[in-house]
Amino acid sequence: GLASQEFAKIDSNDKEKNQELIKSFEKIIILLDREENESFLFLYSTLYKALSLLYENIGNTKMSKEYDIAFKNIELFFEAEKTYYNRRDTEKAFKYYKKAVDDFKTEIIPYNYNMIEKYILQLGRQRKYDESKEYTLKAINRAKKDKRTDKLTEYKSFVGEYYYSIKQYENAIKYYNLGLEEETKLKNKYYYNYKIAKSFFELKNKDEAFKAFDKCIKFVNEGAKDTFDVVSEKIKCGEILDKNSNYNKASILYEKGVNLFKTKKYKEATECFSDSLQILPQNLDSIAYLSQCLFNLREYEKSFEVAKEGLTLSSFEHNFKYDDTFCSNLSNYYSEIEKNKNEALFYALLGYERKPINKMRYNASNIYIDLKQFDKAIEILSKSNPNEPLYAECIDQLAYCYEMLKKYEKAVEYYEKAYEFNPSEEISSAISRCKSKL
């Protein structure tokens, strides 16, 4: 706030005031650099622009140019953020990210570590692991040059993340431990130990994994994290590593059931999933498959009961992985068996809300069409994702809705799109029918 207020007071003729503001703004940059809070990142734009203008006012063109370079690159970085989060254009966003970080080559003003760190994290999220490692090493070299020991500690853990991502768990443990040597923040200590525990788990070293989990529990109790149930994570990992545990017995039955399901042997698969649930009663994976098996066997009442149980459990656990299955089966039951379109629509829309995928769009739009609510069907179908299954069916349905509303130009447009995916006689007839009414 102070930076913005002072920026408004800049007077190109007051040299003494300009010198004061330069000191003030450069001090703020140093303070921001020490803060690990990405919400401050936008302030750099104001500061760089102000300092470029201030140095120009006092006749120091070299420094003015340096801050202008910094300003342009931070603005490009913000454009990358907008492109990534708002426009969902990942390819273009990463071009902007890379250019912004690479072109920040000023040697005089403080290096913007916040920017490169955020880029490294984004690379990791996109599984661009080799590039992530490359930029981590660049950040390490820069931190060595600037004698930033605080950053070097953090970047060691970044290398650990790289090795964890490519499943080189021994190297991951090594670098997480290097990060821990000088780490003072409770939250980071918790996180490093959690990743060490997970690495030992992947290496099937139960004793070392448990030691690291116990450290995590200690840090959680001290306030490192509020919402993560690391105790249940430890128990689950222990059961997975114990060949005779109930978890593994249930998993064997579950895997057998999945293989039977894939070969459409639904009756045998039902027995496997039921037996698995006798051992682990609240396993969402088995519940979802069991509901679908029963539905495929036309045992709709049983499928309905299992789906209802699964939906209740998924809501309780905030795990919506199978809500498309549960909501589809509940919606279909109410639509086809109970003939209750309002209840069917409720579950179709709940599934769409929790998993906005084409499958749920198609289900909800079918019910809207039965209710003659074509506008609402169009609203959902117009958001169909071309990279998901059922896209052709959604587009065909969209065309039909426009036809029912007598918007024949739009109907032809979408029937022709649908025909590209499915060149059927039925769609061809629909195109001719709509064209004749234009």
Side-chain angles (χ1 to χ4, degrees):
L2 174 64
S4 297
Q5 288 171 32
E6 293 297 317
F7 188 18
K9 295 176 189 174
I10 291 175
D11 181 353
S12 60
N13 299 316
D14 190 341
K15 197 166 185 178
E16 192 176 328
K17 180 67 174 174
N18 286 333
Q19 293 281 13
E20 271 181 52
L21 288 171
I22 285 170
K23 286 179 185 176
S24 177
F25 286 177
E26 288 187 335
K27 188 175 181 181
I28 294 171
I29 284 177
I30 291 166
L31 289 169
L32 286 179
D33 190 44
R34 300 284 168 176
E35 274 291 339
E36 293 183 5
N37 187 334
E38 64 183 46
S39 67
F40 291 149
L41 196 60
F42 77 96
L43 282 175
Y44 285 104
S45 179
T46 302
L47 294 164
Y48 292 152
K49 184 68 178 172
L51 284 160
S52 176
L53 183 57
L54 287 164
Y55 273 112
E56 186 182 333
N57 288 347
I58 65 169
N60 189 334
T61 53
K62 186 175 181 181
M63 287 299 288
S64 176
K65 189 177 177 183
E66 289 282 316
Y67 277 111
D68 189 52
I69 291 168
F71 168 72
K72 284 174 181 172
N73 284 300
I74 200 80
E75 286 290 295
L76 184 59
F77 194 84
F78 292 141
E79 186 60 29
E81 295 276 275
K82 285 180 199 169
T83 306
Y84 183 82
Y85 288 108
N86 299 344
R87 297 169 206 151
R88 304 291 179 185
D89 188 340
T90 308
E91 190 177 339
K92 189 180 277 188
F94 274 87
K95 283 180 185 175
Y96 291 157
Y97 278 129
K98 181 176 170 58
K99 184 167 174 54
V101 172
D102 287 350
D103 288 358
F104 198 101
K105 291 178 180 173
T106 172
E107 295 296 322
I108 302 171
I109 66 174
Y111 186 71
N112 196 313
Y113 287 99
N114 288 280
M115 201 159 72
I116 195 167
E117 286 163 17
K118 201 161 188 196
Y119 181 43
I120 290 165
L121 289 172
Q122 290 286 41
L123 287 166
R125 283 176 192 148
Q126 291 295 312
R127 301 187 179 184
K128 299 183 177 188
Y129 300 129
D130 289 333
E131 287 176 68
S132 173
K133 184 185 178 186
E134 176 193 337
Y135 278 88
T136 301
L137 293 173
K138 284 182 182 180
I140 287 171
N141 290 334
R142 181 71 199 213
K144 282 179 181 175
K145 183 180 176 183
D146 294 342
K147 297 180 181 177
R148 291 291 301 274
T149 54
D150 58 323
K151 292 294 176 189
L152 285 170
T153 302
E154 189 177 350
Y155 297 156
K156 286 170 189 172
S157 73
F158 281 10
V159 179
E161 295 283 275
Y162 165 75
Y163 282 118
Y164 186 88
S165 65
I166 62 168
K167 300 183 180 181
Q168 290 188 18
Y169 299 112
E170 292 94 340
N171 282 330
I173 291 165
K174 174 186 170 184
Y175 279 95
Y176 286 130
N177 276 318
L178 285 171
L180 275 169
E181 284 174 9
E182 298 167 39
E183 186 55 65
T184 56
K185 293 185 179 177
L186 200 63
K187 186 178 176 183
N188 288 345
K189 283 183 179 180
Y190 161 81
Y191 181 73
Y192 297 161
N193 276 293
Y194 176 70
K195 294 307 288 269
I196 288 168
K198 294 291 283 183
S199 298
F200 276 122
F201 164 72
E202 296 292 347
L203 292 169
K204 300 187 176 3
N205 188 332
K206 185 177 174 181
D207 292 339
E208 290 300 325
F210 274 22
K211 281 181 191 175
F213 273 128
D214 287 338
K215 287 179 184 175
C216 288
I217 293 165
K218 172 179 173 286
F219 293 131
V220 168
N221 292 336
E222 289 175 11
K225 201 169 179 70
D226 296 327
T227 56
F228 192 84
D229 190 0
V230 73
V231 177
S232 64
E233 183 85 356
K234 175 186 172 183
I235 292 166
K236 183 179 176 183
C237 288
E239 287 186 341
I240 292 169
L241 293 175
D242 181 358
K243 288 180 182 178
N244 298 314
S245 70
N246 283 341
Y247 181 91
N248 277 307
K249 288 175 184 174
S251 294
I252 290 166
L253 286 164
Y254 168 76
E255 292 296 337
K256 185 179 177 183
V258 170
N259 289 330
L260 289 165
F261 182 88
K262 286 176 181 176
T263 56
K264 299 184 179 180
K265 295 178 180 177
Y266 301 122
K267 192 172 181 182
E268 295 92 326
T270 298
E271 291 173 11
C272 288
F273 294 127
S274 297
D275 290 344
S276 177
L277 285 165
Q278 289 294 316
I279 302 168
L280 285 183
Q282 292 187 322
N283 186 285
L284 273 173
D285 300 305
S286 294
I287 292 170
Y289 269 104
L290 178 59
S291 177
Q292 196 57 47
C293 280
L294 291 166
F295 188 87
N296 292 349
L297 290 167
R298 301 176 188 271
E299 295 187 33
Y300 299 120
E301 292 276 357
K302 289 182 181 177
S303 173
F304 170 82
E305 291 300 329
V306 174
K308 207 166 182 183
E309 179 192 345
L311 188 63
T312 303
L313 184 61
S314 76
S315 300
F316 179 73
E317 293 185 354
H318 294 280
N319 180 356
F320 307 137
K321 180 180 177 184
Y322 293 110
D323 275 20
D324 54 328
T325 298
F326 299 139
C327 288
S328 289
N329 290 350
L330 289 167
S331 179
N332 286 330
Y333 175 80
Y334 278 114
S335 181
E336 303 303 323
I337 309 300
E338 295 286 330
K339 306 296 180 186
N340 185 336
K341 295 295 180 185
N342 288 327
E343 280 294 305
L345 183 61
F346 170 80
Y347 284 106
L349 290 174
L350 179 63
Y352 175 63
E353 181 188 326
R354 291 190 175 176
K355 289 191 77 175
I357 57 177
N358 287 348
K359 177 183 176 182
M360 301 315 299
R361 288 188 185 94
Y362 188 71
N363 284 359
S365 68
N366 267 331
I367 300 167
Y368 274 133
I369 288 167
D370 285 346
L371 295 168
K372 310 293 182 190
Q373 296 181 23
F374 300 111
D375 284 328
K376 289 186 176 179
I378 287 169
E379 190 181 334
I380 287 179
L381 290 165
S382 60
K383 297 172 185 173
S384 300
N385 188 337
N387 299 316
E388 289 177 7
L390 289 179
Y391 179 67
E393 289 82 350
C394 286
I395 294 300
D396 186 23
Q397 196 85 291
L398 186 56
Y400 176 76
C401 290
Y402 279 120
E403 183 182 357
M404 291 299 100
L405 291 173
K406 299 183 180 179
K407 295 182 179 180
Y408 299 116
E409 278 192 33
K410 280 282 187 184
V412 169
E413 178 189 339
Y414 284 103
Y415 275 132
E416 285 179 344
K417 276 188 182 180
Y419 188 81
E420 289 174 19
F421 289 95
N422 177 24
S424 68
E425 190 177 326
E426 186 182 351
I427 296 176
S428 179
S429 297
I431 293 169
S432 300
R433 183 173 66 244
C434 290
K435 280 184 175 180
S436 70
K437 292 177 181 178
L438 278 170

